Amino acid sequence: MEFDVLIIGGGVAGMQCALVLGSAKEKWFAKNKNIGIIMHQRSSHLQNALFNNVLGLNPGFLGKDILEMGKNQMNELYPHINQIHNEKVEAVLDDQNGYKVITNKETYFTKNVVIALNYAKPFSIAGLEQYVEKHSRANPMKDRIQLRNFNHLIKDGLYACGTIAGWRSQYAIAAGSGASVATDILTLWNDNISTKIHDKINAE
């Protein structure tokens, strides 16, 4: 299968990136784009999260519920996003038209890749080893890692977002990071015209 963008990781950063990309479906520059997300969720820190300090979430909200809600939200609002479940990425390799992403079950080709995994060791995706470095913001005692990037961009067509991009582990930060990458990709699709996507209430 071929994609215009393939997101690796189904935590908050990855799903937020997918939601923003999906919401641009009626724009001319995004209308026929093929978007996929490999839904790694078992290692997401949301699995054990309890939220009392997030704007818009009722105190006591559970991270594991957000993971389920995110999948349902994508299914209901943006069914054109391909959710890929029960696959683990083994390699991200350069390809003549972008990248080849190899999982334990399939091989995918994509023009853009977004890495949205957490910052824990071990990091074992072949083809990305040269970008792994010590995390710049995490507690040094925790020995976390990130992928070397500049404003989320590792190199042309290859992005990182969330903690793997060097941000702290915080729900709002991860969501903002995923949205930032999505708007960068939308800007690229829109002939490099700065682009953001917001729905609006129709005025009477």
Side-chain angles (χ1 to χ4, degrees):
M1 185 177 289
E2 295 186 6
F3 294 98
D4 291 285
V5 57
L6 183 58
I7 301 161
I8 300 172
V12 60
M15 287 197 291
Q16 185 64 71
C17 184
L19 288 167
V20 173
L21 290 171
S23 69
K25 66 185 187 302
E26 299 303 328
K27 302 293 185 181
W28 68 266
F29 52 82
K31 206 159 196 175
N32 297 312
K33 299 298 186 184
N34 197 11
I35 302 163
I37 178 168
I38 298 177
M39 297 292 289
H40 288 292
Q41 288 190 328
R42 282 191 300 177
S43 61
S44 171
H45 291 165
L46 283 182
Q47 294 285 6
N48 300 311
L50 170 67
F51 294 109
N52 292 315
N53 64 350
V54 177
L55 181 67
L57 293 184
N58 291 328
F61 212 95
L62 299 178
K64 65 179 183 179
D65 292 334
I66 292 174
L67 292 173
E68 282 303 310
M69 289 170 59
K71 290 188 289 187
N72 293 336
Q73 186 176 0
M74 276 190 281
N75 279 330
E76 292 172 12
L77 295 178
Y78 312 119
H80 65 292
I81 297 174
N82 293 278
Q83 291 188 46
I84 302 167
H85 297 277
N86 303 315
E87 294 188 31
K88 182 178 180 182
V89 174
E90 297 178 345
V92 175
L93 306 173
D94 290 343
D95 185 70
Q96 61 182 11
N97 294 317
Y99 296 91
K100 178 165 64 172
V101 177
I102 302 170
T103 76
N104 57 322
K105 296 181 180 179
E106 299 287 345
T107 296
Y108 303 99
F109 295 90
T110 182
K111 295 175 183 174
N112 298 281
V113 178
V114 179
I115 309 296
L117 302 172
N118 71 40
Y119 56 0
K121 290 182 177 179
F123 184 86
S124 57
I125 298 178
L128 300 179
E129 307 95 329
Q130 67 268 38
Y131 306 113
V132 176
E133 61 186 20
K134 187 176 182 63
H135 200 283
S136 61
R137 290 181 175 88
N139 183 341
M141 299 295 291
K142 300 214 178 227
D143 195 24
R144 305 300 194 188
I145 58 98
Q146 66 182 53
L147 297 178
R148 186 171 61 254
N149 68 92
F150 180 73
N151 289 337
H152 297 107
L153 185 66
I154 299 171
K155 65 176 184 175
D156 286 349
L158 182 61
Y159 300 83
C161 63
T163 57
I164 200 71
W167 299 108
R168 293 186 180 90
S169 181
Q170 192 81 16
Y171 181 89
I173 293 173
S177 180
S180 180
V181 168
T183 56
D184 285 347
I185 293 171
L186 292 174
T187 296
L188 184 68
W189 291 346
N190 192 21
D191 295 332
N192 288 312
I193 298 170
S194 183
T195 302
K196 60 182 180 179
I197 301 294
H198 287 295
D199 295 326
K200 294 181 180 179
I201 299 173
N202 292 327
E204 294 293 334

